[in-house]
Amino acid sequence: MKCWSKIFRVTLLTGVLLVSGLAPGQDENPPIRPPVDRVNLVRDVQPIFAAHCYSCHGPDKQESNFRLDVKSRALGSGDFGDPPIIPGESEASPLIGFVSGSDPDLLMPPTDAGKQLDENQILILRRWIDQGADWPDDLAGNDQLTTDHWSFQPVVDYEPPPIEELVDQDFPLRSGLDHFIAQRLALNGLRPSEPAERVSLIRRVYLDMHGLQPTPDQVNAVVKDDSPNAYSKLIDDVLDSHHYGERWARHWLDVVRFGESTGYEVNRDRSNAYYYRDYVIDSLNNDKSYRQFIIEQLAGDVVGVDEATGFLVGGPYDLVKSPDINLTLMQRQDELADYVNTTSTTFLGLTVGCARCHNHKFDPILQRDYYSLQAIFAGVEHGERKLWSKTAQGQRETLEQTQSNLQKQLELIAGMRELAPKPGEVSKNLLPMVDAKSNTDSFDPVKAKFLRFTILRTNRSEPCLDELEIYSTDLQQNIALASSGSSATSSGDYANNPKHKLEHINDGKLGNNFSWISNTDGSGWVQIEFPESMKIDRVVWGRDREGNYSDRLAIDYSISISSDGKDWQEVSSSSGRHPYSIDGAEPENAFVSRLSADNAARAKQVLAEIKRLREEVKRLEQTIPVGYVGKFKTPEVTRRLYRGEPQSPREEVSPDTLTVMGTLGLEADSPDQTRRLKLARWIASKDNPLTARVMVNRVWHYHFGRGIVSTPSDLGKNGTSPSHPDLLDWLATRLVENDWSLKWLHREILLSSTYRQSSRPRSDALAKDAGCKLLWRFPPRRLEAEAIRDCVLQLSGKLNPKPGGPGFLLFKIDRENVHHYFPLEKFEPEHFRRMIYMTKIRQEQDEVFGVFDCPDGGQTIPDRSRSTTALQALNLLNSQFMLEQAGYLATRLKETSGNDAEDQIRFAFELAFSRQPSEAELEDALGLVEQHGLEAFCRALLNANEFLFVS
């Protein structure tokens, strides 16, 4: 059934009948009156709505996004965003098209759902709409978009249930989470499993938290520690290790669809995208507050962590642009959809992307909400950016401030006059000719209420001014700012361009995108009125203070002041400068030769220092790395798109969040950084009911193989219900209370009796809960591709521990326009680093481990599948990589244990399984070594389930 066919139902509810003017018990299908001169809503129209049309969600009025019994919905936003009813225009109203059957696929009501409207009823609706669709406010209905879905409700701080009868030696209630687990088990007639054996638990912790096997020394250290807090010290050790960040960063990179190539047909590699990967690893190892982790990834450029915004552009990007405007617009929409989808699923656990073309079919998310979120990211683009550390940024700012102060000194020196020029005579102490970037006009202190800057001639087109600064003699600060109470007027403003508005002349923002342009070619004036008369002595102005544009420059100008806005006195003008040269041929310091000897010496000294500082800034910039972490621009206007079609724009949409959850209070023209920072702080708020729940659920999912909600990126109505909702809220509350510390959350889980249970199956429990949803044991699971490879290298003794930096490639790249990737046939030590450091090429997989359900970063993967295929077994047994590693392991066994086969086998078991072989295992292993050699035994060891599983 098509989407619109779902919108209408034959629904007769008491609430609708009352809105229609019918009381319960009245005839629900009264005879339709013939059209009258003036159609009445209650008498003529709402009975038709009640009898034939209701909403896209049927009787669930709270989650209905399209309501014909609510005025603002019927005349406002329909399922596709457009209003179903357009007052005065029945032919243009979608409702008439639906009920008249002009499109059989969108017929309302559907033919299988009830009786269609007759011609007389359709005529009534037509006439009512054409007459203006009069709808009194007292019959408007409730427009509040609400939901009773659990994940949108405030987090509840539940008390762990008292269950003392379950406290025993095998399952002591060490954590509040144990109470919740034990209670659910008891309610379902189940009991917890006994504790895991000590060595098994040690291996579980290392494999789970590091993705590596514990070494014999690590195992022995814990086994020999008889103190009551031996296990607690183990947890502290694994959380303090940098291997923790390497392991858990891989989980996060799956969720945020991180890859290091563009994808699509050209699939070019991104050699400098790794900065984001290293940022994630370091953040986890440093136990950065999850709240701060969120803010940095959405607005790292604002808070001084540039590499964090690699989150935004970590996904695929279509480099091939088309001259076809339709394709170009669609490509941009797909980019923005990626930002919205990844952000909403990662942090909120909501599929907001489903509202791109129409209102969400399950969750209270309007199509307008989708585009409001899209507007947040309207200034984000794929690309590279310099990664300024806080230290380097501070160094640059200091150098630039010093340079700016010297420049002001130079301008004062250049402007000094020993004698005032006679009429018609040009002073030899003229200021430098006008500069598009910045100019200073100084004059004797004078009291004024108004200052006017008049442009008489430009080098081209209408004049442009980027921030007019006026400095007070007494306050020594810019008093022209609107924020200081000053107001601006002008001779006329450039029309219909948000970059060039009068308000930009004194808003404190610099650059071409925040400037004023006159509406007259070659001339114009702009005027600043102060809150009160003030003594001023200096004006600073420019065409583009960032130095990117030099057209529209005022080359003939006058600066005048007034106390009443009527009588004006000139205080400075372009006549005090050297004449403008079109080619700028005059050297920067040519004015020095026209100064007195003392002033010339001072100017030369200042110029030399400015030159030195510029060179130092340039050297500093050359040391700053460039990373693929996105570029930012002034956001374009965002419009809601009818059915998601770029060629069907509707009304302008302001940046905001989900209607059902409140508002960010942003203006339509809010700057890019403001938008992203406001969204980040809203997501990271302790009052957001989704954020902490989503992250707690993710961490739980990776510890136990299944989340409390088994759809980790969808906590909406189409996701699964939580198995332990009270536990989820209890952990979410504690996470926030503990400063959003993820290490606290890990520690709480790892120290619990729930986590320490044995993984052995029990027939009684399997009969009731085969999937171990209720956690009556620790659920065993196979390691992921990366952990398997890392453990193989660790066992062979070839694991390269080098952390961070550029990744290693397992492909040879043919870098044509379209990049082609060919798997390596020979491996060097540089390829034996942990797999988290492998350059993640989209659409390509490592020949050996890619078959272990390894995602390629093409889309967000919150939960990897775990398939079992013949190719997996063949790769682990017979691939060139595994044959080489088996050989390296055999060499290690010989070097450590000599030539005694039994010693070699015992050491191998200790390395791979943290235990000694049984007599039967030893006998079989000796027979294998004797018959086929030590390398064959090593291949068998690397393929053992015990080696490949967390249990």
Side-chain angles (χ1 to χ4, degrees), residues 687-806:
D687 297 321
N688 191 311
L690 293 164
T691 311
R693 281 175 173 145
V694 169
M695 193 55 189
V696 163
N697 189 61
R698 289 199 194 284
V699 173
W700 189 274
H701 162 78
Y702 289 117
H703 277 302
F704 294 105
R706 176 194 178 102
I708 296 173
V709 179
S710 64
T711 50
S713 286
D714 188 1
L715 271 62
K717 195 171 182 179
N718 207 34
T720 60
S721 297
S723 59
H724 300 77
D726 42 4
L727 169 58
L728 182 61
D729 277 16
W730 185 83
L731 285 171
T733 302
R734 304 281 93 70
L735 175 65
V736 175
E737 288 178 350
N738 285 275
D739 195 26
W740 299 81
S741 167
L742 295 182
K743 284 192 176 181
W744 171 87
L745 181 57
H746 287 299
R747 189 175 284 106
E748 189 73 15
I749 293 172
L750 294 170
L751 291 175
S752 70
S753 292
T754 302
Y755 184 85
R756 300 194 211 183
Q757 291 180 97
S758 168
S759 63
R760 292 192 183 95
R762 301 198 326 258
S763 58
D764 64 316
L766 286 171
K768 293 183 177 182
D769 182 23
C772 199
K773 182 179 179 180
L774 300 178
L775 291 177
W776 50 268
R777 67 164 174 163
F778 180 85
R781 62 188 183 276
R782 191 186 65 203
L783 290 169
E784 303 88 350
E786 294 85 354
I788 295 174
R789 185 181 192 270
D790 293 347
C791 286
V792 168
L793 289 168
Q794 179 192 24
L795 208 62
S796 70
K798 293 298 181 180
L799 182 63
N800 182 344
K802 179 184 176 182

Side-chain angles (χ1 to χ4, degrees), residues 522-543:
S523 65
W525 58 263
V526 66
Q527 176 178 304
I528 303 295
E529 179 181 357
F530 313 125
E532 57 186 7
S533 292
M534 307 187 78
K535 190 176 287 187
I536 59 175
D537 63 1
R538 181 160 47 105
V539 173
V540 180
W541 63 278
R543 182 267 177 261

Side-chain angles (χ1 to χ4, degrees), residues 369-382:
D369 292 342
Y370 170 85
Y371 287 98
S372 292
L373 278 171
Q374 187 191 89
I376 298 286
F377 303 106
V380 180
E381 290 184 325
H382 276 261

Side-chain angles (χ1 to χ4, degrees), residues 347-493:
F347 300 121
L348 300 175
L350 294 177
T351 56
V352 175
C354 293
R356 178 177 176 179
C357 303
H358 50 70
N359 293 338
H360 202 290
K361 291 300 178 185
F362 302 99
D363 297 329
I365 302 172
L366 303 175
Q367 188 195 26
R368 186 180 180 86
D369 292 342
Y370 170 85
Y371 287 98
S372 292
L373 278 171
Q374 187 191 89
I376 298 286
F377 303 106
V380 180
E381 290 184 325
H382 276 261
E384 300 173 336
R385 197 171 81 247
K386 282 187 175 294
L387 304 175
W388 289 89
S389 67
K390 291 182 179 179
T391 300
Q393 182 69 25
Q395 291 174 340
R396 181 176 69 171
E397 290 174 356
T398 300
L399 290 170
E400 290 178 342
Q401 184 60 52
T402 304
Q403 186 177 324
S404 176
N405 294 339
L406 289 171
Q407 191 67 41
K408 291 174 183 176
Q409 289 184 32
L410 187 65
E411 290 171 355
L412 289 173
I413 295 171
M416 289 180 178
R417 300 188 176 114
E418 294 168 0
L419 293 172
K422 297 177 181 179
E425 179 183 30
V426 178
S427 169
K428 75 172 186 177
N429 293 316
L430 292 176
L431 293 171
M433 70 178 188
V434 291
D435 182 3
K437 187 172 183 180
S438 180
N439 306 279
T440 299
D441 282 77
S442 301
F443 42 85
D444 293 332
V446 59
K447 199 168 187 179
K449 181 83 163 52
F450 301 86
L451 183 142
R452 178 178 290 182
F453 191 106
T454 303
I455 300 101
L456 305 171
R457 185 161 60 94
T458 66
N459 64 348
R460 190 172 66 199
S461 304
E462 300 91 342
C464 177
L465 288 178
D466 175 17
E467 198 67 22
L468 188 62
E469 300 177 43
I470 305 169
Y471 286 86
S472 163
T473 309
D474 298 325
L475 300 177
Q476 290 298 311
Q477 64 184 32
N478 177 16
I479 62 171
L481 291 169
S483 60
S484 299
S486 296
S487 58
T489 54
S490 73
S491 57
D493 309 321

Side-chain angles (χ1 to χ4, degrees), residues 7 38 84 154-155 191-192 198 220 227 259 415 431 439 492 535 716 809 877 927:
I7 292 176
R38 187 70 186 175
V155 175
R191 58 179 175 79
R198 196 168 196 182
N220 291 333
S227 64
L431 293 171
N439 306 279
K535 190 176 287 187
L809 267 166
L877 192 63

Side-chain angles (χ1 to χ4, degrees), residues 208 372 618 674:
D208 184 18
S372 292
K618 187 178 294 185
T674 302

